[in-house]
Amino acid sequence: MADYQAPLRDMRFMLNEVLDAAQLNKLPGLTAATPDVIDAVLEEAGKMTAGAIGPLNTSGDQQGSRLIDGAVKTPDGFKEAYRTFVDGGWNGLAFAEEIGGQGLPFTVGMAVTEMITSSNLAFSLCPLLTTGAVEALIKHATPGLRDTYLTKLVTGEWTGTMNLTEPHAGSDVGALRSRALPQADGSYRITGTKIFITYGDHDMADNIIHLVLARTPGSSPGTKGISLFLVPKFLVNDDGSLGARNDLRCVSLEHKLGIHASPTAVMSFGDNDGAVGWLVGDENQGMRCMFTMMNHARLAVGLEGLAIADRAYQHALGYARERKQGRRPGQGAQESAAIIDHPDVRRMLMTMKATIEAMRGVALSAGIAYDMAKHHPDAASRAENQGLVDLLTPVVKAWCTDMGVEMASLGVQIHGGMGFIEETGAAQHYRDARIAPIYEGTNGIQALDLVGRKLTQMGGKPVDDYIAAARNTCAALRGVKDADGHLATIETALGEGVDALEAASSWLREAMARSYDDAAAGATSYLRMFGIVAGGYMLARSALAAQRSLDDGGDNTGFYRNKILTARFFAEQSLPQAAALLGPVTRGATTLYAIEPELMGA
């Protein structure tokens, strides 16, 4: 398997030359984020992921996490790698210094998270859940809970989990049955079983802080009667030291298609007297509190799609350069060509490369908006950027994870038969990628969120503003002299994609007013369309930035030229799919429900 190397130059280009990440340094609370600091952080993250975490990817997959005598043991090297991660301050990178963090922008944290995830997806899931727990406690926990738990979670010394799913309640969280009984001292006793709990138990940290959804006595049915509770593996004494083991345990570990090194636990709470927990936020407001954690996690899961696609691309590119098979026109009978020279292999590699760069642009642009929404001094700017974050969150989560699976599949295809053999490692990327469209809200749920909520949020302003911004980029492309016709090709394709997105958005808004089923039937196709157009928009901005650098005397033979060509490839090969999706978006649900369920097998 090819060693992981962080795509630092691509990241720096997107952050600095396309998205102008330097503007974040001017925001209150982010003054430490000078360009040289950000550059140094990215450099060190690249070294850490390539040296300490990436080498464990294959061995971790082969060994897996194991439940031994009631305790989970992670694969060899994981505990030591996690200590390196914590000692380097990586977990707290984007959190405020007063709670133990580094005070850097969320956007920089996203870039580092991409590296960690790309180098070792299974390893990355532990800090992903921990940072989500931190967000939930910052916004909803009492000062006492924050004082006891927050700093240890920020540094990563303790890790966090999210406990929603139960055997009978998957996406329908409102059907959960776990109970929380109030106690005289203000605590609660938690009982119930949770499944699919990522890093529900492990040996990498001294304590695990579970955020658990449960019902209090007399609560309303459905999601309105759910509350959120903090339930530690070990109780914490008044002096901050660890006390008695709480009444919770890992019952078993799931046997999964991929991410074998990540322990996915079945957790039992309250086999004896009940697990001791404390209310986070107000009673019956658990879903609102948990969504703070889930929205953070959805952006991080979207990064998984980007990250695994990049890892699969690096792997496939290395193989394609070395593997010789077949002949090119003009070669002799005894000669053979590297498969990278064959048109279809080149098509697959270029599809991977262009899609990865598009995904990175969309994800990091959401990160910039997140930082603006949190730190900008102007309330109107904060609100506008929060609207953009809300809009892009389901797109980043769903489109990037769908593309992650498709790009990992292309990586297997490039390897040919050897890709289907586990020893080459290409199959692991495909197996690992497949979970991302499922968890943290299936991609169908993300599509319904985009159409049912985000399309009309704030009167539809975020969507309309996004379409207008893409049209402005089309105008900018027309204003640049382009002897080779690259920018003109990009502008035409992007304009047609934006036209389709605008038409689809208008149709869905009208459909939502008359028929939920008609709108829902087109939701997944609409999200795919939105992702394609957003990716094309970001690559168009990338091409403009590259052209500016060339005009200013930059490297006109390599990097910047390739950015323009990559954007053109996406414009020619991917953006036309947006217009083709207009039909599926607007067909409605009539045919979808035309066959009765009992006749579906006929």
Side-chain angles (χ1 to χ4, degrees), residues 426-488:
Q428 182 190 343
H429 306 316
Y430 187 44
R431 289 188 287 102
D432 285 353
R434 193 58 192 86
I435 184 58
I438 298 172
Y439 58 16
E440 300 308 333
T442 66
N443 285 359
I445 289 174
Q446 304 304 315
L448 291 175
D449 178 47
L450 179 64
V451 169
R453 294 186 181 92
K454 307 306 169 54
L455 185 57
T456 57
Q457 183 174 307
M458 300 171 63
K461 186 176 185 300
V463 174
D464 293 342
D465 286 351
Y466 200 82
I467 288 172
R471 291 201 188 282
N472 288 339
T473 294
C474 288
L477 288 164
R478 289 193 297 271
V480 178
K481 293 181 179 180
D482 178 24
D484 296 318
H486 300 317
L487 300 186

Side-chain angles (χ1 to χ4, degrees), residues 116-179:
I116 295 168
T117 306
S118 194
S119 67
N120 194 322
L121 175 55
F123 179 94
S124 74
L125 298 180
C126 186
L128 184 158
L129 273 301
T130 302
T131 54
V134 169
E135 293 283 355
L137 294 187
I138 288 174
K139 293 187 178 180
H140 303 292
T142 63
L145 286 180
R146 290 199 297 267
D147 289 344
T148 301
Y149 295 97
L150 193 55
T151 297
K152 292 283 191 180
L153 286 167
V154 167
T155 62
E157 294 173 75
W158 296 349
T159 66
T161 71
M162 184 191 308
N163 288 250
L164 291 82
T165 307
E166 298 182 3
H168 55 280
S171 296
D172 184 11
V173 179
L176 66 82
R177 299 171 186 160
S178 294
R179 296 295 173 182

Side-chain angles (χ1 to χ4, degrees), residues 218-550:
S219 62
S220 301
T223 57
K224 292 182 179 180
I226 296 174
S227 301
L228 180 64
F229 300 89
L230 183 154
V231 187
K233 178 179 179 179
F234 290 96
L235 301 176
V236 180
N237 297 320
D238 291 341
D239 63 359
S241 62
L242 296 183
R245 173 72 182 259
N246 211 348
D247 185 14
L248 58 89
R249 64 191 178 97
C250 173
V251 177
S252 64
L253 294 180
E254 304 291 356
H255 300 277
K256 301 167 297 190
L257 175 67
I259 54 169
H260 294 149
S262 169
T264 303
V266 177
M267 297 296 300
S268 179
F269 294 86
D271 288 347
N272 298 305
D273 297 327
V276 180
W278 290 268
L279 184 66
V280 176
D282 295 330
E283 192 171 344
N284 299 323
Q285 294 297 312
M287 287 305 297
R288 185 175 70 88
C289 298
M290 185 61 84
F291 264 109
T292 298
M293 189 176 187
M294 289 177 68
N295 283 330
H296 180 278
R298 284 171 175 175
L299 287 174
V301 171
L303 285 175
E304 290 178 18
L306 161 62
I308 204 70
D310 189 64
R311 187 68 189 268
Y313 173 66
Q314 291 188 28
H315 197 160
L317 179 61
Y319 183 82
R321 285 168 170 166
E322 296 176 0
R323 173 67 168 167
K324 291 194 173 184
Q325 187 81 25
R327 297 192 302 275
R328 290 279 293 146
Q331 284 189 306
Q334 302 303 315
E335 295 180 287
S336 59
I339 63 172
I340 196 173
D341 291 329
H342 295 308
D344 194 54
V345 173
R346 185 66 68 93
R347 176 193 62 82
M348 290 187 284
L349 287 168
M350 282 299 298
T351 299
M352 295 177 81
K353 176 179 173 60
T355 305
I356 288 163
E357 293 188 16
M359 285 192 281
R360 184 174 292 122
V362 175
L364 291 179
S365 69
I368 295 286
Y370 183 100
D371 282 316
M372 290 290 187
K374 186 174 182 180
H375 295 280
H376 201 285
D378 178 66
S381 293
R382 290 196 302 273
E384 181 178 341
N385 279 283
Q386 187 59 55
L388 180 56
V389 174
D390 293 342
L391 172 65
L392 290 181
T393 293
V395 178
V396 171
K397 195 282 178 184
W399 183 64
C400 289
T401 56
D402 280 345
M403 291 300 99
V405 173
E406 292 185 22
M407 297 308 107
S409 180
L410 286 179
V412 173
Q413 187 73 16
I414 288 167
H415 281 75
M418 297 304 294
F420 204 67
I421 304 301
E422 287 288 351
E423 284 77 4
T424 64
Q428 182 190 343
H429 306 316
Y430 187 44
R431 289 188 287 102
D432 285 353
R434 193 58 192 86
I435 184 58
I438 298 172
Y439 58 16
E440 300 308 333
T442 66
N443 285 359
I445 289 174
Q446 304 304 315
L448 291 175
D449 178 47
L450 179 64
V451 169
R453 294 186 181 92
K454 307 306 169 54
L455 185 57
T456 57
Q457 183 174 307
M458 300 171 63
K461 186 176 185 300
V463 174
D464 293 342
D465 286 351
Y466 200 82
I467 288 172
R471 291 201 188 282
N472 288 339
T473 294
C474 288
L477 288 164
R478 289 193 297 271
V480 178
K481 293 181 179 180
D482 178 24
D484 296 318
H486 300 317
L487 300 186
T489 297
I490 295 167
E491 186 272 325
T492 298
L494 178 58
E496 291 172 352
V498 173
D499 287 344
L501 181 63
E502 186 172 45
S505 301
S506 177
W507 188 92
L508 284 168
R509 284 169 175 157
E510 294 176 1
M512 279 297 295
R514 67 173 187 271
S515 169
Y516 169 82
D517 283 349
D518 281 348
T524 291
S525 294
Y526 178 72
L527 191 148
R528 174 65 66 99
M529 176 194 287
F530 204 117
I532 292 168
V533 174
Y537 167 44
M538 293 310 304
L539 287 185
R541 291 177 62 181
S542 172
L544 280 170
Q547 188 62 55
R548 285 194 299 268
S549 294
L550 290 174

